[in-house]
Every structure is written in C-alpha cells, then in structure tokens.
C-alpha cells in the first residue's frame, strides 16, 4: 500500500499526453533535488567552493544540500495548499474536500513547518554543531525558492497543518533522511561562510525548482513507486533536463592563443594593452583587472583575452558583458555573434544570450534561439545544434536566465539586480559566479549606480567570480572604490594609491594584493587633439555648414534632446538634412537610425556615403556606437564625457579626409569670465539641468582650454584628475558654489540611498527584513520617472503599430513602436477620442500590457503625424516623424 504522503499533490495541470492530472508532491520534491544533484555534480569547481564554506568534503556537502532541497516544498503538505486544486485533493489522507481557510503560501509555510517538524534534527548528527540560527540561514535559502526569503508569521498560518498533514510531512521527512543518510556531524562554519553559503544555496534551489517543474522534462506519473525507486528515475531525468536546458559547462578549446579568439588583423599585431592582457600573471583565486586606455585602443579585445585565459584554466565557465545601454549591448552582441564559439571546444554548442528588456527586438538574437520541434507547445523548450550564434530556448525565454548562458551580453542594470532585493536575484548571482564579469564604460555611471556596481563586485568576488573593468576615463578615486569593494568580498583590506598614476594602466587585484602595470599606447592612438572654443550656437551652425560643404562627415553632439532638435531645424533651414539620433524615437525607428549611422560612419563606411554626412544627436553619440567622423562639435560637458566624444573623431584609419587635421570644437562659455550663477545656463540652459554640478563643468572648461588639447594617452589622466580629484571647492568661482554644493549633496544622498538599498553579503539571503519586489519594477538607477507609450496609426479603420517587424509579428511590431519619455514632459494619458479603436487594438495584447502601456494614436498632419495627451482639462499636442522623433508643443 502506497504511503499516505504519496497522495498529496505537488504539481497539477490537467491530464494530457497520457499523463495524470497531478504529480505527487514527494516525486516533485525529488525531481528538484535530482536537478540540484546533477548541477552540483556537473560543476565540481562550484561544489568544491560550497564544500569549503561548509567545511565538508564535496560528497558530504552535495548529499546534505540535495537532501535539504528535497524538502523545499514541504509547505505544500499544508491543507490550505492542497485545497487549491479540488480535483487533486488527497481524499485518502484528508477525507472529503474542504475549502481553504488560510493563505496557502507554501514557501512561507515551509519556514514555520521547519520548527514543527524539527528539521534540524531530522538529518541525524549532520547539524549537531550548528546553532538554530545557522540552520535557519540555510533553510531560508531553500524555502525562499520563489525568488525571495519568506519570513514566517505564525499568527497568519496557524492551523494550516492539521494532524494528518503533519503526520504525512513527518513521514516524508523520515524517508528523505533515510534516502540521504548523513552520519557525519558537520563542524560549525564561521558566520560569514554561512552567509555566503546561503546566497549560493538560494540560487541553486531556484534554478533546480525551475527545471524540476518543467512538465516536458519531468512528466506527471501516478504514485506507484517508492521514494528510492523514484529517486533513481528522477536522477536520469535530471541529467537529460540540464542537458536540454543548455546550462551544462562546456569545455574550453584546447588551443589558447590570440589568433584563435581575435580577428587576424588584431591578433597579428597586438597592442601593448592586449599583449599585457595576454601575458600578465594571474594568481590563484578571484581576480579583478581594471583596464584604462584611450577610446579605440582595443580594450574589448583585451578583456576577451583575459577572460579566455580564465576560461581555459577552468576558473570560469563563460563571461558576461555588462554595458551602460541597450544600444551598447546590441553592438557588443553583434561583435561576439560570429566568434564567441571559438572560446570553447569544437563540436560543442555554447549559448550566447542578449539580456535587456528589448532583446526580443534584436533580429539576430531572436533568430538564434533554438527550438525542439517536439516541444513547441511548452514554454520551456530544448535545443538542437545549429551554426554560428545559438541560444538554448530554455535560457532565451527569460532574461534572468541570461546569467546561465555561457556567454551573456546585457545592460549593467540586469547585473546589479543581483544585489538588490528583487525577486530571483539569487539566480542571477548563482549564474554570474561562474562567469567572468566584464563591465564596460565604467566611468559612465552616476553615484547611485556606481555604488551598486561596488556591491556587485563585492558579491561576485565573495562567491568566487573574477571581473574585468574597462574605462577610458576612470578617476583614481573610483578605481580605488572598485578595488576595495572586490577585496572586501574576499575578506581583505588593501591599501590603494589614489593619487592618479600612469596611463594607460592595467591594474590587477587578487589575493596577493594589487599590482599596477603602466603601458605604452598604440602608435595610432597617440595624438594631441587641438581643442577650440566657440561662444554661440550661430558660430556652431556656420562651422557645421562650412565643414559639410567641404565634404566632411560631421557630428554635432548636444546635451539635450530639444537642443538636438533645434540644431537639426537650423541645419534644415540652411539646406542640410542631418541624421538625427536621440532617445525620443520609437524603438524601431531608433534601431534603424543607429544602423544607418554605423553603416555610414563605421569602419567599413564608404567615402561617397560619408561625404557631407551630418549626424546630430545626444549622449547616444558619446558611447553607444562605433563610428568615425572628420569633424566634431560638442556642447560643453564634464571632461570625461568630452574625452569620450573626442574618441569618435578620426577613430578609424582612412586614406584621405576632407580636412587636414582633426580638432574638437566645443560650444562653451568662457571659464575666465564667471559673472553670475547663470554662467553655464545662459548659453546652454537645457544642459545646465542635465549636468548640475556646475563646478565640475567649469573646471572641465578651464582645464581643457588652458591645456589647449586632449593629448592621448599622456594627457588624459592629468585632465581627469585635475577636474575630479580636488575635494574642496576653493577653486570654484563664488557664483557657482551654491549649485555645486547642491549637486554634491545630491550625489552623497544618491550614494547613501544606494548603500541602504543594496543587499549585504555578510547578512546572508534572509538576514535583513527588506521589502522584496519584482525585478521588473526594482529601480537600478535614480532619475526622473519615465512614461512608456506605444505609437499607433489608423489604417483602413484599424489601429496598427507605428513600426512593423520584419516577420510581421504583432507583438514585436507593438514592442518596436514603444517610446520612452520623461514623465515630466509626457505626464497624462493619450487622448480618449479614439477609444473604440484603441480598445480593439489592445484586445490582442496580454492583459498586463493593456493596463500598463498607454497607446498614443497618431494622425497625419502636413509632413508629420500628431497626437494629443490629456491631463485633467489640459490637452498637449505632440508631433512625431521618423526623422526627428517625438516633439511636444
């Protein structure tokens, strides 16, 4: 006769394909445990790290963790949970069906049941020397498998485990203790080790539960087998499942050389930085490398070389590139698309994944997802081998799984969600710990996000991961903060020189300390770029027109969208129609414009297409695209951003150019004449709100124009440190002090907010009673809130998406038609004039999108399209066209 506990259900979903309508709870628990067992067995490096934290052998650690994870759903024995599915109600054990009388939240129930069942003693002597608090840390990591720790509230769940439920749960626990007999008493680990162990166990349990809950890989079966017999069956199924999920480690290629990983023209003539990246010795344990060199010096290739070395030494299973924007992530994905597989052994099929909110709009990524024809109706699909870039479907269907792919490319926001109280953050940390984390454009982040990055480095090193930081303009203080955070994760304190140092520079931090290797720069990156100031927009316009007439490719970079639009209008009045690029475009239009800029002005851009080509844009032209222009004019901005912008000037080698030599022209007030607080605002009023530390802006102008050039590489460090190193404001003109002090106050507040928001390694997974939220709403950056609209237009009486996907998929078309606007500009709702057609269009959207995303109807008006946004009795007109984007009246 079957044990009573086998009549309790763990998964239910209706009978299909010859399967019963429910799956026994003990079987589901063993499915998940078998996945955990397979994952630990397939990753001996991570298992050894876990064993060290537990002060146990790898086999002992694996056995006890698998046993604990087999009880992750013990809360489902509660009567209130069983009552959620009347057709699967365990009548043999509980009698006639009764409606639920409580929450039935089984992960919260598991925490309370821990004490009722005495789980710490169930496993015999295993946890004899662990305190109740020690065990609770570990158990919370297991029971919080739905993405966040659950803190029990006995008053709310009292009575949800009546005697017969408790008896069944206790019998199941006894069987598990027998199945995973542990007769070794584990020593009590240090408190810090238990905390770090909890983060890893939480991630392991989440991924095991996700895979073990897949009905295709773990079909429902009737309760006919003993636990021992079913365990043997589940272990076989788990091995197949993790193979089909595409998350098994892939062997590195046996040939380790720059010629394999880099394009031939790069590998044949490595730059000094790239040679150092290949030769610099790495000590044992996690490594942090900080690469500082000029724009276009080959920092990405250097990072790939270092990551390849760590992968070949089996110190990592892959890498994750974290970039500042979706555009930079898309560009990096495209760079890796053809070559990433060379990091791994021939005949293997590693996954390359793109991780950001709009990744499904990237045609290359969408086409790379491999599907199993036998599992098309299941949301979790397996994969088969294919050419070039591939991504296992199970990984590709959720951006949180991106950290389980062998190669991941995404925004920094996706990575820092791992250190915020966002659901499933432990899954991100679990996957990332096996990857070399590469953070590009490290200078591009504000104080809030920079503090999150420091927390990410602390977690990453604590969990055994290595990291590489790339930057052209990293202040010494910021470099020191990154190194200190990484060292803190390893329980170290290091002394760091923050006085500046050489440039270019390769800094390596490890358990042996910090080493800094000064480097010569590439010959073609060495120059003294003249800088010239102009004092009016009229002068800027005349300059752009004159240079375009000479056939030069010109970039005019403004500090705000409206300034860019004004500049475009001025140029059109002069007979020049520039390419306009800023953030206020529908996603489909923006992608098309970015592709046009990259094609026309990129490395392969043809002279005829470049001739007289003018691009006007915002900060997108600063960091998101690989392009090259003959002439550049830019609004005054902080010095590091000006250096970044200048890096696009004569970036690529070309035979001849329409101008004799490059120069950076800066639209700026005179730093020698500061008469009042409006020094910056008078010339660039919109920019004055974008860059609010006017002391830094003034210093940037003063230092830059006094120097008269941007000398790379030798002058870059001096420019950066002269602007950012002084802590006192004594040199700032008195009229600018108030705004500068306000900006400093906001910066300190942002850092403090981030410090209070990030999770703490030493607290453990459930060590702080924080408010955990969905990762779709957890803020990773401070800033003005935005409103996301979808743009539609009426055709033949129907409302259709503004942009049309290549495959005509309506969901992708609507997503390509999305546009993000600062809420201060677009506060309100689209006009209700077209209520019926809006309702008809939204009827085909998922329910959550209907409520969340407003739809703005555009109608033709002269040469553009127009719409209205209502706020109370106020009506605001907007205009849109694919040339200029969205404008407000």
């Amino acid at each position: 006769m079957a044990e009573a506990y086998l009549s309790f259900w763990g998964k239910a979903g209706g009978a299909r394909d010859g399967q019963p309508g429910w799956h026994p709870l003990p079987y589901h628990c063993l499915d998940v445990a078998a996945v955990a067992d397979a994952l630990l067995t397939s990753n001996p490096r991570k298992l050894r790290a876990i064993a060290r934290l537990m002060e146990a052998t790898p086999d002992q650690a694996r056995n006890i963790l698998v046993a604990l994870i087999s009880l992750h759903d013990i809360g489902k024995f509660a009567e209130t949970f069983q009552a959620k599915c009347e057709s699967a109600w365990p009548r043999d054990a509980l009698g006639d069906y009764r409606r639920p009388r409580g929450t039935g939240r089984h992960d919260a129930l598991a925490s309370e049941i821990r004490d009722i069942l005495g789980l710490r003693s169930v496993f015999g002597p295993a946890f004899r020397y662990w305190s109740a608090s020690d065990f609770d840390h570990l158990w919370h990591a297991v029971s919080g498998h739905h993405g966040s720790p659950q803190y029990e509230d006995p008053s709310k769940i009292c009575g949800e485990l009546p005697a017969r439920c408790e008896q069944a749960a206790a019998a199941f626990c006894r069987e598990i203790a027998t199945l995973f007999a542990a007769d070794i008493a584990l020593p009590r680990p240090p408190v810090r080790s238990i905390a770090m162990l909890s983060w890893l166990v939480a991630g392991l349990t989440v991924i095991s539960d996700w895979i073990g809950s897949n009905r295709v890989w773990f079909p429902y079966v009737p309760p006919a087998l003993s636990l021992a017999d079913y365990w043997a069956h589940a272990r076989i199924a788990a091995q197949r499942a993790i193979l089909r999920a595409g998350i098994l480690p892939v062997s590195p290629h046996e040939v380790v050389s720059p010629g394999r990983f880099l394009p031939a023209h790069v590998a044949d003539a490595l730059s000094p930085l790239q040679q150092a990246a290949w030769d610099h010795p790495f000590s044992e344990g996690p490594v942090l490398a900080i690469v500082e060199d000029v724009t276009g010096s080959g920092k990405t290739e250097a990072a790939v070389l270092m990551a390849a070395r760590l992968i070949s030494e089996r110190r990592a299973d892959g890498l994750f590139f974290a970039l500042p924007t979706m555009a930079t992530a898309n560009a990096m994905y495209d760079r890796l698309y053809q070559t990433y597989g060379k990091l791994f052994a021939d005949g293997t099929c590693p996954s390359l994944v793109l991780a950001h909110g709009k990744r499904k709009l990237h045609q290359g990524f969408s086409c790379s997802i491999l599907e199993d024809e036998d599992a098309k109706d299941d949301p979790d699909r397996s994969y088969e081998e294919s050419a070039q870039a591939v991504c296992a479907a199970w990984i590709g269907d959720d951006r949180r799984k991106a950290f389980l792919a062998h190669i991941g490319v995404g925004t920094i926001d996706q990575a820092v969600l791992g250190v915020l109280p966002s659901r499933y953050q432990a899954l991100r940390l679990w996957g990332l710990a096996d990857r070399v984390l590469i953070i590009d454009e490290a200078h591009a982040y504000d104080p809030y996000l920079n503090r999150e990055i420091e927390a990410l480095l602390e977690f990453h090193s604590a969990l055994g991961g290595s990291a590489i930081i790339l930057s052209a303009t990293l202040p010494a203080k910021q470099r020191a903060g990154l190194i200190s955070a990484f060292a803190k994760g390893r329980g170290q304190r290091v002394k760091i020189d923050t006085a500046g140092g050489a440039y270019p520079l390769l800094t390596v931090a490890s358990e042996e300390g910090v080493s800094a290797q000064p480097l010569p720069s590439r010959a073609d990156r060495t120059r003294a770029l003249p800088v010239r100031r102009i004092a009016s927009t009229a002068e800027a316009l005349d300059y752009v027109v004159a240079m375009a007439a000479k056939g030069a490719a010109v970039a005019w970079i403004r500090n705000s969208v409206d300034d860019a639009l004004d500049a475009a209008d001025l140029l059109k009045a002069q007979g020049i129609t520039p390419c306009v690029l800023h953030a206020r475009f529908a996603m489909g239009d923006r992608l098309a414009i970015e592709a046009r800029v990259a094609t026309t002005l990129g490395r392969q851009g043809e002279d005829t297409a470049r001739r007289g080509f003018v691009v006007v844009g915002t900060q997108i032209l600063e960091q998101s695209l690989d392009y090259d222009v003959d002439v550049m004019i830019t609004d005054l901005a902080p010095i590091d951003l000006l250096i970044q912008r200048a890096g696009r000037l004569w970036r690529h080698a070309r035979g001849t150019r329409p101008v004799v030599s490059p120069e950076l022209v800066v639209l700026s007030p005179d730093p020698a004449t500061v008469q009042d607080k409006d020094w910056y605002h008078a010339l660039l009023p919109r920019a004055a709100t974008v860059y609010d530390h006017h002391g830094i802006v003034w210093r940037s102008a003063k230092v830059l124009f006094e120097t008269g050039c941007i000398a790379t590489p030798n002058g870059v460090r001096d420019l950066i440190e002269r602007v950012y190193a002084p802590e006192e404001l004594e040199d700032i003109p008195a009229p600018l002090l108030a705004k500068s002090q306000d900006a400093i106050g906001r910066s300190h507040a942002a850092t403090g907010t981030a410090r209070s928001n990030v999770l703490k390694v030493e607290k453990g997974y459930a060590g702080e009673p924080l408010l955990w939220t969905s990762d779709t709403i957890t803020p990773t950056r401070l800033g003005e809130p935005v409103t996301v609209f979808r743009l539609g237009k009426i055709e033949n009486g129907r409302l259709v998406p503004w942009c049309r996907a290549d495959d005509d998929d309506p969901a992708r078309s609507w997503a390509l038609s999305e546009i993000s606007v600062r809420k201060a500009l677009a506060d309100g709702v689209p006009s209700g004039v077209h209520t019926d057609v809006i309702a008809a269009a939204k009827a085909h959207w998922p329910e959550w999108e209907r409520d969340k995303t407003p739809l703005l109807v555009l109608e033709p008006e002269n040469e553009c399209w127009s719409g209205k946004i209502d706020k109370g009795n106020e009506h605001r007109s907007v205009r849109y066209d694919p040339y200029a984007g969205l404008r407000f009246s």
Side-chain angles (χ1 to χ4, degrees):
M1 180 176 177
E3 296 289 346
Y5 53 70
L6 287 177
S7 64
F8 287 73
W9 66 273
K11 290 287 179 180
R16 72 181 195 194
D17 301 328
Q19 300 177 29
W22 61 278
H23 194 48
L25 173 55
Y27 290 0
H28 167 66
C29 288
L30 290 181
D31 292 337
V32 174
V35 174
D37 183 63
L39 289 172
L40 292 172
T41 302
S42 68
N43 194 333
R45 183 184 67 254
K46 184 170 275 183
L47 177 56
R48 287 194 298 270
I50 289 173
R52 284 194 295 271
L53 293 173
M54 298 179 70
E55 299 186 2
T57 68
D59 283 343
Q60 290 169 346
R62 178 175 55 81
N63 186 65
I64 196 64
L65 289 183
V66 170
L68 276 171
I69 291 172
S70 72
L71 301 179
H72 74 287
D73 266 348
I74 195 75
K76 288 184 176 179
F77 276 103
E79 183 180 278
T80 46
F81 178 86
Q82 292 297 308
K84 289 186 174 185
C85 182
E86 184 174 359
S87 63
W89 173 261
R91 286 179 172 79
D92 291 347
L94 302 182
D96 293 338
Y97 176 76
R98 293 180 292 279
R99 292 194 177 279
R101 295 173 295 166
T103 65
R105 177 86 198 202
H106 67 278
D107 48 355
L109 289 167
S111 296
E112 179 67 7
I113 291 173
R114 165 204 65 199
D115 292 331
I116 295 174
L117 300 177
L119 291 187
R120 187 157 66 100
S121 61
V122 162
F123 298 101
F127 297 105
R128 175 183 299 162
Y129 301 119
W130 289 42
S131 69
S133 176
D134 296 337
F135 182 80
D136 286 354
H137 267 292
L138 197 55
W139 179 245
H140 278 302
V142 172
S143 63
H145 59 279
H146 283 287
S148 61
Q150 294 298 311
Y151 307 94
E152 66 269 30
D153 184 349
S155 66
K156 290 186 177 180
I157 59 179
C158 181
E160 295 194 25
L161 193 74
R164 283 181 289 183
C165 293
E166 182 181 337
Q167 291 164 6
F172 174 59
C173 288
R174 289 193 295 271
E175 286 294 313
I176 289 296
T178 301
L179 192 61
F180 302 101
D183 56 2
I184 301 295
L186 300 172
R188 183 186 181 187
V191 173
R192 179 178 172 82
S193 295
I194 294 175
M196 289 191 290
L197 177 65
S198 71
W199 298 109
L200 290 171
V201 172
L204 172 63
T205 310
V206 167
I207 183 176
S208 300
D209 187 51
W210 281 15
I211 295 176
S213 298
N214 186 307
R215 190 171 179 177
V216 173
W217 299 338
F218 294 91
Y220 295 179
V221 297
L225 297 175
S226 69
L227 288 194
D229 289 341
Y230 187 81
W231 174 242
H233 164 81
R235 295 186 74 184
I236 296 172
Q239 290 291 341
R240 290 197 303 263
I242 63 172
L243 176 64
R244 296 175 75 186
I247 59 175
L248 282 174
V250 175
S251 297
H253 199 275
E254 59 185 13
V255 176
V256 184
S257 70
R260 176 168 180 81
F261 305 130
L262 301 182
H265 73 279
V266 177
D268 292 343
L270 293 180
S271 70
L273 166 63
Q274 293 159 350
Q275 193 66 56
W278 186 246
D279 293 337
H280 196 289
F282 290 154
S283 65
E284 293 296 321
V287 171
L288 170 67
I290 300 180
V291 176
E292 298 173 80
D293 205 345
V294 297
T295 301
S297 61
K299 293 188 291 295
T300 298
E301 291 80 4
V304 170
L305 287 176
M306 287 188 282
R309 291 174 55 195
L310 293 169
I311 293 170
S312 70
E313 296 171 8
R314 298 184 183 272
R315 297 164 68 172
D317 295 331
L319 61 86
F320 184 87
F321 262 103
L323 297 119
T325 64
M326 288 189 289
T328 49
N330 289 345
M332 185 62 67
Y333 179 92
D334 293 339
R335 290 179 70 173
L336 295 174
Y337 187 86
Q338 300 281 349
T339 61
Y340 80 99
K342 294 181 179 180
L343 292 166
F344 303 99
D346 294 335
T348 60
C349 191
S351 281
L352 169 67
V353 70
L354 184 61
H356 59 65
K358 306 295 183 186
R359 66 209 184 104
K360 292 294 180 67
L361 303 182
H362 189 287
Q363 191 68 29
F365 173 67
S366 296
C367 293
S368 76
I369 299 177
L370 302 175
E371 301 188 15
D372 187 323
E373 292 298 319
D374 296 329
K376 277 191 175 293
D377 294 331
D378 192 86
D380 300 322
R381 295 186 281 270
S382 61
Y383 73 100
E384 56 191 20
E385 189 170 341
S386 182
Q388 292 187 355
V390 297
C391 179
W394 187 80
I395 293 174
D397 70 4
D398 191 310
R399 65 181 180 277
R400 291 167 295 198
K401 299 175 186 174
F403 300 93
L404 305 174
H406 304 95
I407 305 294
V409 181
T411 59
I412 186 66
D413 306 81
Q414 293 299 320
V416 298
L417 280 169
V419 297
L420 293 171
S422 63
R423 290 189 67 201
Y424 300 110
Q425 58 76 224
L427 175 67
R428 297 172 190 268
L429 291 180
W430 168 269
L432 196 57
D434 290 325
R435 311 289 176 258
V436 180
L437 170 64
I438 303 175
I439 300 176
D440 200 4
E441 308 279 10
H443 57 273
Y445 308 117
D446 61 26
Y448 183 87
L449 187 50
N450 191 59
R451 180 64 193 90
E452 292 176 318
I453 291 172
E454 290 177 355
L456 177 63
L457 289 175
E458 183 182 346
F459 267 90
H460 193 54
S461 65
L463 301 182
S466 293
I468 301 169
I469 309 291
L470 308 179
S471 178
T473 54
L474 194 67
K477 290 179 185 177
Q478 189 176 352
R479 183 193 334 125
L482 298 171
I483 295 171
S484 295
F486 192 83
K488 184 180 178 183
R490 304 300 298 169
Q492 295 176 296
R493 290 186 177 182
V494 293
K495 187 175 182 179
I496 305 161
D497 176 18
T498 61
Y503 185 90
L505 187 68
L506 173 61
T507 305
V508 177
S510 66
E511 292 182 352
E512 294 184 354
V514 181
S515 65
Q517 180 180 352
L519 302 169
S521 189
R522 275 174 33 182
D524 63 340
R525 294 289 98 189
T526 301
R527 69 180 182 182
L529 175 67
V531 176
R532 178 164 61 90
R533 184 180 76 88
I534 59 174
S536 70
T537 303
E539 289 181 75
L541 175 64
D542 291 343
Y543 179 72
V544 173
V545 171
M547 293 298 102
K550 293 180 67 172
V554 183
W556 188 356
I557 303 179
R558 309 304 310 269
N559 288 338
S560 75
V561 173
D562 289 319
D563 282 339
L565 291 173
D566 288 349
D569 288 342
L570 291 171
L571 287 168
K572 287 187 74 174
Q574 295 291 321
I576 296 175
T577 301
C579 176
V580 182
L581 180 56
H582 53 71
R584 218 187 290 161
F585 280 99
M587 182 57 66
D589 290 336
R590 175 170 168 173
L591 292 174
I593 296 168
E594 289 177 353
R596 181 188 176 198
V597 171
T599 300
T600 306
L601 301 179
R603 187 182 297 275
Q604 306 302 323
E606 298 180 357
D607 290 345
T608 53
R610 291 171 53 87
R611 185 171 181 80
F613 186 90
V614 178
V615 57
V616 176
T618 56
Q619 290 84 348
I620 295 173
L621 295 176
E622 181 183 295
Q623 61 187 15
S624 296
L625 297 171
D626 179 13
Y627 68 95
D628 160 86
V629 290
D630 306 309
V631 172
M632 178 179 288
I633 184 165
T634 172
D635 291 350
L636 175 64
I639 189 66
D640 49 329
L641 308 185
L642 293 175
I643 294 172
Q644 283 292 117
R645 296 174 188 185
R648 270 67 182 175
L649 189 57
W650 289 44
R651 180 183 179 93
H652 300 311
R654 299 195 181 278
T656 60
R657 293 183 185 266
V659 292
V660 175
S661 61
E663 70 170 349
L664 181 68
V665 179
V666 183
L667 175 58
S668 167
D670 186 354
T673 306
V674 183
Q675 296 180 338
D676 54 39
K677 63 182 178 60
D678 290 332
W679 171 81
Y680 190 35
H681 184 275
L683 179 61
L684 298 166
R686 296 177 179 124
T689 63
V690 175
Y691 303 116
D692 59 352
H693 193 326
H694 292 185
I696 290 294
V697 175
W698 175 83
R699 271 194 200 140
S700 298
K702 180 177 183 294
V703 168
L704 186 61
F705 299 136
E706 282 181 354
T707 306
C709 70
I710 298 175
T712 54
N714 296 333
V716 171
R717 178 79 73 202
D718 181 62
L719 290 174
I720 295 294
E721 296 306 320
R722 285 173 65 187
V723 171
Y724 285 106
E727 295 185 3
E728 302 298 329
L729 300 179
E730 295 175 354
D731 61 320
I732 304 298
L736 304 181
L737 278 176
K739 285 186 178 295
S740 298
Q741 289 167 340
D742 288 346
I744 292 172
R746 284 190 290 271
S747 175
H748 289 167
T751 302
T753 300
R755 188 174 289 111
S756 64
N757 285 350
V758 296
L759 300 167
K760 311 297 189 296
V761 173
E762 66 278 5
K763 294 290 186 180
Y765 182 62
E768 291 184 283
L770 302 171
L771 177 63
W772 289 65
T773 58
S774 166
D775 64 351
T776 61
I777 62 174
T778 303
T780 56
R781 309 190 190 207
L782 287 184
E784 290 190 65
V786 298
T787 297
V788 178
F789 290 110
R790 285 183 173 176
L791 306 182
K793 55 187 177 181
I794 297 177
E795 289 184 355
N796 301 321
R798 294 175 54 247
L799 188 59
V800 299
W802 172 264
C803 296
R804 182 175 174 179
D806 293 339
D807 57 3
D808 281 336
D809 176 46
R812 290 189 72 238
S813 296
W814 280 116
L816 285 168
S817 302
E818 286 186 358
I819 184 169
S820 298
V821 185
R822 285 190 298 119
K823 192 171 183 179
L825 279 176
D827 192 14
V829 296
S831 173
V833 175
H834 301 284
T835 305
D836 292 341
V837 292
I838 290 175
K842 284 191 170 186
H844 301 286
W845 296 5
E847 186 174 351
W848 68 271
E849 287 186 346
R850 288 179 229 157
D851 299 332
K852 179 182 177 183
T853 311
L855 206 165
L856 179 60
V857 180
L858 300 176
E859 299 181 273
E861 180 182 292
N862 299 325
E863 296 181 358
C864 67
W865 295 68
S866 68
K868 287 185 172 59
I869 296 175
D870 299 337
K871 183 180 180 182
N873 294 325
E874 298 178 11
H875 308 281
R876 192 170 191 191
S877 297
V878 298
R879 290 183 296 150
Y880 187 87
D881 65 71
Y883 158 74
L886 191 69
R887 298 185 187 223
F888 294 87
S889 60

